[in-house]
Amino acid sequence: TATQDGDLIYTDKDKKVIYRITPDRKITEFIKTGDWKPLSVHSSHINGDILVGMKTDEEAKVTRYNKTGKEIQNIQRNNQGQELYDYPHYITENINGDICTSDIHKGAVVVVNKSGQHRFSYIAQGSVLLPYGICTDVLGHILVCDHISETVHLLDQDGGFLSFILSEQQGIKHPLGVCVDDENNLYVGQRLTNTVTVYKYLH
């Protein structure tokens, strides 16, 4: 993930370290996550906080750090005490501050609000969802890659399914990563072809 300051932040789940690369290409250890494997990381466009999806052998959580790397929030269970996450391997934030994760073991997109309250979990209607890359856009849509249907699902910010916006008809092969830029271009990384394709989907 890229920060507001132009740094690049990435996780090493085996070493349990989050690294930062500055624009002059210096690599430093930014956050040590202790017993937790950091799976996914996102730098907030709202306030610069760093959101990290992580797990141990037994449990999983999302942790919020401020931009200096200080831990400020842990999100792990819903109001009934049930575990929210199993394997939060992609993470992003919506324009309303919701934290959106794709959880491959739960087969769901799990969304909590900024204070960590569970808002909804999206599972594909009538089929199994294997969610990978996830991003959001200027309208608050949630876009998620589905490894089973090999499509990108477009959801509204309350988890309602709107459409499949990309599928094999558009030449997509195993979409794993998605990202939307400031001009509303949609970048899709694909496993089988090892290419990134750019689409216009908002006008």
Side-chain angles (χ1 to χ4, degrees):
T1 186
T3 70
Q4 292 167 325
D5 302 330
D7 296 340
L8 191 65
I9 291 178
Y10 69 95
T11 65
D12 185 325
K13 67 175 189 279
D14 298 323
K15 290 185 178 159
K16 298 176 182 157
V17 174
I18 297 166
Y19 291 94
R20 189 211 304 263
I21 308 179
T22 49
D24 59 2
R25 301 192 182 182
K26 241 202 257 117
I27 301 177
T28 51
E29 279 191 3
F30 178 42
I31 297 164
K32 290 184 171 164
T33 55
D35 296 333
W36 295 82
K37 285 184 175 183
L39 305 174
S40 52
V41 64
H42 176 75
S43 173
S44 168
H45 305 306
I46 297 171
N47 54 21
D49 287 350
I50 307 295
L51 302 167
V52 184
M54 36 188 151
K55 89 175 260 72
T56 61
D57 290 342
E58 286 81 39
E59 17 178 32
K61 66 177 179 175
V62 166
T63 299
R64 181 191 296 272
Y65 299 89
N66 68 14
K67 54 175 77 163
T68 64
K70 181 174 179 285
E71 189 177 302
I72 48 180
Q73 185 187 27
N74 276 295
I75 302 162
Q76 199 168 350
R77 292 184 175 83
N78 64 15
N79 288 341
Q80 287 77 48
Q82 295 154 319
E83 299 275 338
L84 283 168
Y85 307 106
D86 202 346
Y87 199 90
H89 68 153
Y90 288 85
I91 189 166
T92 192
E93 183 183 49
N94 216 337
I95 52 170
N96 56 4
D98 285 351
I99 302 166
C100 312
T101 56
S102 72
D103 193 311
I104 192 168
H105 289 177
K106 279 193 180 286
V109 172
V110 181
V111 176
V112 300
N113 66 17
K114 53 178 159 294
S115 52
Q117 305 288 309
H118 183 236
R119 281 200 63 220
F120 62 85
S121 291
Y122 167 77
I123 50 176
Q125 297 304 308
S127 68
V128 180
L129 177 73
L130 256 193
Y132 273 76
I134 190 168
C135 69
T136 61
D137 67 18
V138 288
L139 301 176
H141 294 134
I142 301 166
L143 296 85
V144 62
C145 297
D146 176 18
H147 198 43
I148 287 188
S149 64
E150 294 188 34
T151 58
V152 176
H153 297 222
L154 181 69
L155 317 176
D156 65 28
Q157 59 186 321
D158 299 314
F161 174 78
L162 297 174
S163 65
F164 298 115
I165 51 168
L166 291 175
S167 63
E168 240 181 319
Q169 279 81 32
Q170 286 81 30
I172 286 285
K173 289 271 189 204
H174 292 291
L176 290 192
V178 277
C179 158
V180 176
D181 71 11
D182 296 340
E183 272 84 56
N184 303 318
N185 295 309
L186 172 61
Y187 294 75
V188 184
Q190 298 151 88
R191 183 174 67 95
L192 279 193
T193 54
N194 291 332
T195 53
V196 175
T197 313
V198 187
Y199 296 90
K200 266 275 183 242
Y201 76 104
L202 277 185
H203 298 289

